[in-house]
Amino acid sequence: RPIVTGTSVIAIKTDAFVMMAADTLGSYGSLARFHDIRRVVSVGSDCLLGAGGEISDFQKVAQHLEDLEEENYCYDDNVSLTAPQIHSYLTRICYNRRSKVDPFYNQFAVGGMITDDNGAKRTYLGYTDLFGTTFTDNYVATGFGAHLALPLLRKGYETLGGAQMTVEDARKLLADTMRVLFYRDCKTINRITFGTVDARGPNVNEPIALQTDFNLEEINPVKPIQNAEQE
Amino acid sequence: MYRSQYDSDVTLWSPQGRLHQVEYACEAVKQGSVVLGLKSSTHAVLVGLRRSPSDLAHHQEKLFKIDAHCAIGVSGLTSDGRRLCKYMRSETLNYRYVYNASMPVSRMVLDVADKCQGQTQTSQGRPFGVGLLVIGYDTNGAHLYETDPAGNYFEYLAYSIGARNQAAKTYLEKKYDTFTDIGQDELIQHGVNALKETVRTRDLTLTTDNTSVIVVGKNCNVQHLNDEQLQPFIDKVEADNDAADEAENEQKDGAMDVDQ
């Protein structure tokens, strides 16, 4: 049973970079309890991991991956885990735990850069969850985002140039999508972290707030009763 | 080798600071028939000389595929080699299942070497009596490693182990500078040539029965050459050998004329 949870993580992949966004809320049921939970972290030298769901499970998994990377560092033989390998590893442990009816109650988005044999760099974005379901795609959203954000990401991906999208366009697309999630998903707060991984490596920004407008007619359908006092 | 009172147990140090049992295990490797390996920047090749216990018997296989990207050649106790081969196969397969990628060769060799070392530091059991030459191709390029019963492992540009390996080493030492950028076929030919050096004194002819070649490289999964693929390389080395023999004989004939 999940206790402290995070909501959606959304991510998008182009030819040059992978960008991920999530808010920093840890919900205690419907109480917005912890306001600075970082749900997008960098793993190793070229991978980003974002998760929604039970926060303690995510922290455990992130710690475990850090330990694996440390082990690799200690071996000192130029071997380190790449994003697809981390994705595959996560899938295996998720499926293993679900088969023991003791899941890591999370949905993960894994993104990163891979270097080919020829030195060329490719981007990678994958999803895996508490059941061990796994797939890769150009855009990925967990939790509530899978319902709300994916259509927006799809539309944005097609109109903004797809794999050739610029960083600014992707940033705006993710920000707009997070804004919609903030409007509609009650277990969110207006404190978003963005993470990017490109040829230079992973980078997670400090949380920012998005501009919101709650006076929009769509979300304020009830007009103030103007004649109430008169009556 | 001399016998001493400190060689009965692998857990016994000699006063000179040696573990005799481990050294004797390394001797077993030297009794095995020769296996040699060489690599370029993109490929690595293993060549083994297969022995057959009698004319009626099949030749004993020396080279084994471990995974799509790595292979080993054994010298010494073949049964110990089979055990290590099984271990390596399951480790690489497990890695492939978990990480969906080929296991880095250096990591696999480290695991095998640790397993060998474990056997030298236990009251039960004995050291493995087999030396391995491991070739592989991973994200760090082509590799050739040697492991021994002591649990050491080294990476090489070219190496050989087993009986009469010095002749092959001499050939490889002369030629290894040229290996970096040559193609797969040239590399295999060098390997077969080096193998020929080891049997020259016994005047043994190489055939597809007693020679075994495995190659792995960039965009090239482990390939154990079958008779058809191997024949051209053997033909070439035997032809070169015959040509060299003829040249020698002509020289000898010339000398006899002068004497007369």
Side-chain angles (χ1 to χ4, degrees):
Chain A
R1 226 178 88 247
I3 310 289
V4 179
T5 56
T7 42
S8 358
V9 175
I10 55 175
I12 196 157
K13 173 184 87 141
T14 70
D15 280 345
F17 62 89
V18 178
M19 200 182 276
M20 215 181 265
D23 66 22
T24 62
L25 178 66
S27 306
Y28 191 63
S30 55
L31 169 67
R33 187 160 177 192
F34 303 105
H35 291 220
D36 194 18
I37 308 271
R38 300 304 164 92
R39 299 193 292 115
V40 177
V41 295
S42 70
V43 181
S45 59
D46 53 9
C47 183
L48 277 183
L49 176 68
E54 172 61 49
I55 297 297
S56 62
D57 282 346
F58 170 59
Q59 288 172 341
K60 177 89 192 284
V61 165
Q63 180 63 48
H64 187 61
L65 288 174
E66 274 296 306
D67 291 345
L68 278 183
E69 277 297 308
E70 230 176 76
E71 224 184 281
N72 279 329
Y73 177 78
C74 290
Y75 271 117
D76 199 18
D77 56 1
N78 218 18
V79 167
S80 69
L81 290 176
T82 65
Q85 290 176 358
I86 292 175
H87 184 209
S88 188
Y89 182 76
L90 272 183
T91 309
R92 290 281 150 251
I93 52 181
C94 283
Y95 185 75
N96 210 2
R97 293 284 297 240
R98 142 225 134 132
S99 303
K100 295 195 275 192
V101 197
D102 180 21
F104 279 129
Y105 212 97
N106 294 110
Q107 299 102 20
F108 297 99
V110 182
M113 296 290 291
I114 347 174
T115 315
D116 275 341
D117 274 351
N118 306 321
K121 292 217 177 231
R122 273 186 305 127
T123 48
Y124 180 90
L125 180 60
Y127 167 95
T128 187
D129 68 9
L130 66 155
F131 303 110
T133 317
T134 176
F135 54 83
T136 59
D137 204 349
N138 295 323
Y139 28 75
V140 140
T142 69
F144 213 74
H147 300 111
L148 268 190
L150 272 184
L152 296 170
L153 290 177
R154 269 190 209 120
K155 178 126 182 280
Y157 192 80
E158 279 152 29
T159 53
L160 291 172
Q164 312 303 323
M165 217 190 303
T166 61
V167 176
E168 295 77 28
D169 277 345
R171 177 70 177 237
K172 182 159 189 307
L173 175 62
L174 284 189
D176 286 342
T177 314
M178 289 303 292
R179 197 192 326 271
V180 169
L181 284 175
F182 175 61
Y183 285 147
R184 291 295 177 182
D185 182 4
C186 61
K187 288 186 181 171
T188 53
I189 54 168
N190 193 3
R191 198 161 180 271
I192 319 285
T193 53
F194 286 87
T196 324
V197 62
D198 55 22
R200 289 167 305 180
N203 183 36
V204 183
N205 301 339
E206 286 299 297
I208 59 162
L210 297 175
Q211 289 277 25
T212 59
D213 180 3
F214 278 93
N215 289 323
L216 291 176
E217 186 118 354
E218 286 89 6
I219 44 178
N220 238 344
V222 179
K223 291 200 165 72
I225 303 173
Q226 301 203 319
N227 301 322
E229 279 147 48
Q230 288 172 9
E231 278 183 87
Chain B
M1 294 211 76
Y2 50 81
R3 302 198 41 86
S4 79
Q5 52 182 159
Y6 305 103
D7 68 354
S8 56
D9 204 344
V10 76
T11 55
L12 212 54
W13 285 97
S14 82
Q16 286 82 34
R18 300 162 69 161
L19 289 170
H20 286 296
Q21 278 295 302
V22 175
E23 291 177 23
Y24 295 164
C26 294
E27 277 300 303
V29 176
K30 296 180 196 163
Q31 304 296 332
S33 73
V34 71
V35 170
L36 58 96
L38 55 162
K39 71 169 188 180
S40 69
S41 56
T42 54
H43 289 81
V45 169
L46 276 180
V47 182
L49 182 70
R50 291 192 280 209
R51 275 197 200 133
S52 106
S54 83
D55 285 340
L56 290 172
H58 214 46
H59 289 81
Q60 171 73 275
E61 190 50 75
K62 302 273 289 174
L63 309 181
F64 303 96
K65 168 177 167 176
I66 301 292
D67 194 1
H69 69 297
C70 57
I72 61 168
V74 309
S75 183
L77 263 51
T78 326
S79 41
D80 282 2
R82 217 172 40 242
R83 167 104 185 275
L84 286 179
C85 178
K86 197 183 274 196
Y87 173 73
M88 290 160 96
R89 280 178 179 161
S90 75
E91 287 298 298
T92 47
L93 198 59
N94 197 38
Y95 192 95
R96 201 173 274 283
Y97 175 69
V98 173
Y99 295 102
N100 202 24
S102 50
M103 187 170 191
V105 185
S106 56
R107 192 58 64 81
M108 181 187 72
V109 171
L110 179 72
D111 285 345
V112 172
D114 281 347
K115 194 169 161 73
C116 288
Q117 194 280 340
Q119 291 300 115
T120 68
Q121 203 170 13
T122 172
S123 56
Q124 296 189 18
R126 56 165 178 80
F128 283 99
V130 66
L132 302 180
L133 282 185
V134 183
I135 56 167
Y137 187 83
D138 60 19
T139 50
N140 288 324
H143 297 282
L144 167 66
Y145 287 94
E146 183 231 356
T147 71
D148 66 12
N152 290 321
Y153 67 99
F154 296 102
E155 184 158 14
Y156 285 98
L157 297 167
Y159 201 62
S160 70
I161 56 176
R164 280 179 285 277
N165 62 43
Q166 189 52 50
K169 271 195 198 140
T170 315
Y171 177 91
L172 292 170
E173 270 166 27
K174 276 192 225 143
K175 304 274 180 174
Y176 79 94
D177 281 336
T178 65
F179 289 168
T180 323
D181 293 314
I182 58 177
Q184 180 180 316
D185 285 345
E186 244 190 283
L187 196 67
I188 297 175
Q189 190 62 60
H190 274 302
V192 178
N193 291 350
L195 187 69
K196 182 66 195 175
E197 296 296 314
T198 65
V199 299
R200 197 177 282 281
T201 50
R202 298 188 313 174
D203 232 356
L204 182 68
T205 319
L206 292 184
T207 66
T208 56
D209 273 338
N210 62 21
T211 313
S212 189
V213 175
I214 275 192
V215 64
V216 69
K218 189 171 182 173
N219 304 325
C220 163
N221 286 343
V222 164
Q223 214 188 353
H224 197 154
L225 298 191
N226 60 30
D227 289 354
E228 228 178 81
Q229 294 162 315
L230 189 51
Q231 195 61 52
F233 298 104
I234 293 192
D235 288 341
K236 181 150 197 315
V237 78
E238 289 297 334
D240 287 348
N241 190 41
D242 292 341
D245 278 349
E246 265 184 44
E248 256 186 64
N249 288 338
E250 274 178 22
Q251 271 190 347
K252 280 194 200 135
D253 288 342
M256 283 174 83
D257 283 344
V258 168
D259 278 343
Q260 283 174 348

